[in-house]
Amino acid sequence: MNRAVFAALRWIVLVAAAVVSLFPIYWMVMSSFRTHEEIFRYTTLSKELFLPVHWTLGNYREIFLDPAKPFGRYILNTLLVAVVVTAAGLVVNSMAAFAFAKLRFRFKRGLLALFLSSLVIPYEVIMVPQYLLMRDLGWINDYRALIVPQIVWVFGIFMLIQFFADVPRDILDAARIDGAGWARIYGVIVLPTAVPALITLGIMTFLNQWDSFLWPLVVINEEKKQVIQVAISSYQSLRNISWGKIMAATTISSVPILAVFLLLQRYYVQGITMSGVKG
C-alpha cells in the first residue's frame, strides 16, 4: 500500500514538473498564432489563455516575407556556422583529448592544467582581444570570424578526456606491437568506441552555436550575414516590441534543436553517463 502511494505521489510530482516546464513553450507556440493585440489580453485561467481566439499566420508571413530582414537567410547562416563548427570541433577536440588521455609527451600535465584553467575565465574577458585578432586578420563581418574561434572548446576536450581515459591501455599497446601508428589507433580503435561521447559533444556544440548571440552581434555588421538569435533580438526596440514576430521566430528557431535532441537523446544520455560528467 505504501509503495503504491509513493508511486502515485512520484507520478503526480513528475507530471506537475512536466507541466510547469512545458507550459511556457506551449504558450510561446500558441502566441505565435495570435495577433499582437491578443497576446497579452487574456491572463486569467480560461480557454482563451490556452488557445488563440483568432488564429493567424500573419506573424510567420511577416518574418519570412520581410525583404529587409530575410529570416530564411538567417536560418541558413546559423545552420552553416553550427554544422561547420560542430564537425570541425569534433575532429579537433577529439584529437586533442586523445593526445592528453593516451599519449606521453613532455609538459602534458602543465599544458592540460593551462587548458582547464581557461574554463574559469569569463568569455567577456577574452572577447576584446579576440575581436582585435579578428580585425587584424581581416575577418570582421566574415563567416570565418564566427567559425574558427569556436572550433576549439576546452570543455569538450575535458569531457572526451574522461571518456578516452577509460579505454584500456592494453588494447593500444597491442595495436602498437602489431605496427599500427597513433593516427590509425585513433581512427580505427578509439573513435568507434567513442560514438556516444562524440554525439553528446556534437549536440552540445550545435546547441551553443545555434544559440550564439553576443559574438555574432560584435563581429557581424552586414544584415544578410547575421545569425538567428541576433535577428530575433532585432524585432524589439525602444519604441516597439513585435511580440508576435518574436514568438514566431523563437518557435521556428526551437524546432532544429528539439529535432536533433529527440533523435539523439539516447546517445546523449549514454555519452554523459559513460564520460563521467555529472551535470
Short mmCIF file of all heavy atoms in Angstrom, two decimals, residues 127-142 145 149 215 218-219 221:
data_model
loop_
_atom_site.label_atom_id
_atom_site.label_comp_id
_atom_site.label_asym_id
_atom_site.label_seq_id
_atom_site.Cartn_x
_atom_site.Cartn_y
_atom_site.Cartn_z
N MET A 127 36.88 38.46 -25.08
CA MET A 127 36.17 38.87 -26.29
C MET A 127 36.87 40.04 -26.98
O MET A 127 36.97 40.08 -28.21
CB MET A 127 34.72 39.23 -25.97
CG MET A 127 33.88 39.48 -27.21
SD MET A 127 32.14 39.71 -26.82
CE MET A 127 32.21 41.20 -25.83
N VAL A 128 37.37 41.01 -26.21
CA VAL A 128 38.03 42.18 -26.80
C VAL A 128 39.32 41.79 -27.52
O VAL A 128 39.50 42.14 -28.70
CB VAL A 128 38.27 43.27 -25.74
CG1 VAL A 128 39.11 44.40 -26.34
CG2 VAL A 128 36.95 43.82 -25.23
N PRO A 129 40.26 41.08 -26.88
CA PRO A 129 41.45 40.67 -27.65
C PRO A 129 41.12 39.76 -28.82
O PRO A 129 41.78 39.79 -29.86
CB PRO A 129 42.32 39.95 -26.60
CG PRO A 129 41.42 39.64 -25.46
CD PRO A 129 40.38 40.70 -25.46
N GLN A 130 40.08 38.92 -28.67
CA GLN A 130 39.68 38.07 -29.78
C GLN A 130 39.15 38.90 -30.94
O GLN A 130 39.43 38.61 -32.11
CB GLN A 130 38.63 37.08 -29.30
CG GLN A 130 38.25 36.03 -30.32
CD GLN A 130 37.40 34.92 -29.73
OE1 GLN A 130 37.89 34.00 -29.11
NE2 GLN A 130 36.09 35.04 -29.91
N TYR A 131 38.40 39.96 -30.63
CA TYR A 131 37.90 40.85 -31.67
C TYR A 131 39.05 41.56 -32.37
O TYR A 131 39.05 41.69 -33.61
CB TYR A 131 36.95 41.88 -31.06
CG TYR A 131 36.47 42.92 -32.04
CD1 TYR A 131 35.37 42.66 -32.86
CD2 TYR A 131 37.12 44.14 -32.17
CE1 TYR A 131 34.93 43.60 -33.77
CE2 TYR A 131 36.70 45.09 -33.07
CZ TYR A 131 35.60 44.81 -33.88
OH TYR A 131 35.18 45.75 -34.78
N LEU A 132 40.05 42.02 -31.60
CA LEU A 132 41.20 42.69 -32.21
C LEU A 132 41.96 41.74 -33.12
O LEU A 132 42.45 42.15 -34.19
CB LEU A 132 42.12 43.22 -31.11
CG LEU A 132 41.52 44.31 -30.20
CD1 LEU A 132 42.51 44.71 -29.11
CD2 LEU A 132 41.11 45.53 -31.02
N LEU A 133 42.06 40.47 -32.74
CA LEU A 133 42.72 39.48 -33.59
C LEU A 133 41.94 39.29 -34.88
O LEU A 133 42.53 39.23 -35.98
CB LEU A 133 42.85 38.16 -32.84
CG LEU A 133 43.46 37.00 -33.61
CD1 LEU A 133 44.88 37.34 -34.06
CD2 LEU A 133 43.45 35.73 -32.78
N MET A 134 40.61 39.20 -34.79
CA MET A 134 39.79 39.05 -35.99
C MET A 134 39.93 40.28 -36.90
O MET A 134 39.98 40.16 -38.13
CB MET A 134 38.32 38.87 -35.61
CG MET A 134 38.01 37.60 -34.84
SD MET A 134 38.38 36.07 -35.74
CE MET A 134 39.91 35.57 -34.89
N ARG A 135 40.04 41.45 -36.29
CA ARG A 135 40.22 42.67 -37.08
C ARG A 135 41.55 42.66 -37.82
O ARG A 135 41.64 43.01 -39.00
CB ARG A 135 40.14 43.89 -36.16
CG ARG A 135 40.22 45.24 -36.87
CD ARG A 135 40.57 46.35 -35.92
NE ARG A 135 41.90 46.13 -35.33
CZ ARG A 135 42.44 46.92 -34.39
NH1 ARG A 135 41.76 47.95 -33.93
NH2 ARG A 135 43.65 46.66 -33.91
N ASP A 136 42.63 42.25 -37.11
CA ASP A 136 43.94 42.22 -37.75
C ASP A 136 44.00 41.18 -38.87
O ASP A 136 44.76 41.35 -39.84
CB ASP A 136 45.02 41.91 -36.70
CG ASP A 136 45.15 43.02 -35.67
OD1 ASP A 136 44.72 44.15 -35.97
OD2 ASP A 136 45.68 42.77 -34.57
N LEU A 137 43.24 40.10 -38.74
CA LEU A 137 43.19 39.08 -39.79
C LEU A 137 42.27 39.47 -40.95
O LEU A 137 42.25 38.80 -41.98
CB LEU A 137 42.72 37.75 -39.21
CG LEU A 137 43.67 37.05 -38.24
CD1 LEU A 137 43.00 35.83 -37.62
CD2 LEU A 137 44.96 36.64 -38.95
N GLY A 138 41.51 40.54 -40.76
CA GLY A 138 40.58 40.97 -41.80
C GLY A 138 39.33 40.13 -41.88
O GLY A 138 38.71 40.01 -42.95
N TRP A 139 38.94 39.53 -40.75
CA TRP A 139 37.79 38.63 -40.72
C TRP A 139 36.53 39.26 -40.16
O TRP A 139 35.53 38.54 -40.00
CB TRP A 139 38.14 37.38 -39.90
CG TRP A 139 39.11 36.48 -40.58
CD1 TRP A 139 39.69 36.65 -41.80
CD2 TRP A 139 39.64 35.25 -40.06
NE1 TRP A 139 40.53 35.63 -42.09
CE2 TRP A 139 40.53 34.74 -41.04
CE3 TRP A 139 39.44 34.54 -38.88
CZ2 TRP A 139 41.22 33.55 -40.86
CZ3 TRP A 139 40.12 33.35 -38.70
CH2 TRP A 139 41.01 32.86 -39.67
N ILE A 140 36.55 40.54 -39.85
CA ILE A 140 35.34 41.18 -39.35
C ILE A 140 34.28 41.16 -40.44
O ILE A 140 34.57 41.41 -41.62
CB ILE A 140 35.63 42.64 -38.90
CG1 ILE A 140 36.62 42.63 -37.73
CG2 ILE A 140 34.34 43.34 -38.49
CD1 ILE A 140 36.13 41.92 -36.50
N ASN A 141 33.05 40.86 -40.06
CA ASN A 141 31.94 40.74 -41.00
C ASN A 141 32.17 39.59 -41.97
O ASN A 141 31.80 39.65 -43.15
CB ASN A 141 31.71 42.04 -41.76
CG ASN A 141 30.31 42.14 -42.33
OD1 ASN A 141 29.34 41.69 -41.73
ND2 ASN A 141 30.19 42.72 -43.51
N ASP A 142 32.77 38.51 -41.47
CA ASP A 142 33.08 37.34 -42.27
C ASP A 142 32.69 36.10 -41.48
O ASP A 142 32.82 36.06 -40.26
CB ASP A 142 34.56 37.32 -42.63
CG ASP A 142 34.88 36.30 -43.71
OD1 ASP A 142 34.81 35.09 -43.41
OD2 ASP A 142 35.19 36.70 -44.85
N ALA A 145 35.10 34.53 -38.87
CA ALA A 145 35.14 35.04 -37.50
C ALA A 145 34.14 34.32 -36.61
O ALA A 145 34.33 34.25 -35.39
CB ALA A 145 34.86 36.54 -37.49
N PRO A 149 37.21 30.77 -34.31
CA PRO A 149 37.47 30.87 -32.87
C PRO A 149 36.63 29.91 -32.02
O PRO A 149 36.96 29.70 -30.85
CB PRO A 149 37.09 32.34 -32.55
CG PRO A 149 37.13 33.05 -33.85
CD PRO A 149 36.69 32.04 -34.86
N TRP A 215 28.79 37.11 -29.56
CA TRP A 215 29.90 37.19 -30.51
C TRP A 215 29.44 37.54 -31.93
O TRP A 215 30.05 38.42 -32.57
CB TRP A 215 30.68 35.88 -30.49
CG TRP A 215 31.87 35.84 -31.39
CD1 TRP A 215 32.06 35.00 -32.45
CD2 TRP A 215 33.04 36.66 -31.33
NE1 TRP A 215 33.27 35.24 -33.05
CE2 TRP A 215 33.90 36.26 -32.39
CE3 TRP A 215 33.44 37.70 -30.49
CZ2 TRP A 215 35.13 36.86 -32.61
CZ3 TRP A 215 34.67 38.30 -30.72
CH2 TRP A 215 35.50 37.89 -31.77
N VAL A 218 28.82 41.20 -32.26
CA VAL A 218 30.01 42.05 -32.25
C VAL A 218 30.73 42.03 -33.59
O VAL A 218 31.16 43.08 -34.09
CB VAL A 218 30.97 41.60 -31.12
CG1 VAL A 218 32.32 42.31 -31.23
CG2 VAL A 218 30.35 41.87 -29.76
N VAL A 219 30.88 40.85 -34.20
CA VAL A 219 31.76 40.73 -35.38
C VAL A 219 31.02 40.80 -36.71
O VAL A 219 31.67 40.96 -37.75
CB VAL A 219 32.57 39.42 -35.31
CG1 VAL A 219 33.49 39.42 -34.11
CG2 VAL A 219 31.67 38.20 -35.31
N ASN A 221 28.43 42.75 -39.13
CA ASN A 221 27.75 44.04 -39.32
C ASN A 221 26.72 44.00 -40.44
O ASN A 221 25.74 44.75 -40.41
CB ASN A 221 28.79 45.13 -39.63
CG ASN A 221 29.85 45.25 -38.55
OD1 ASN A 221 29.54 45.16 -37.36
ND2 ASN A 221 31.10 45.44 -38.95
#
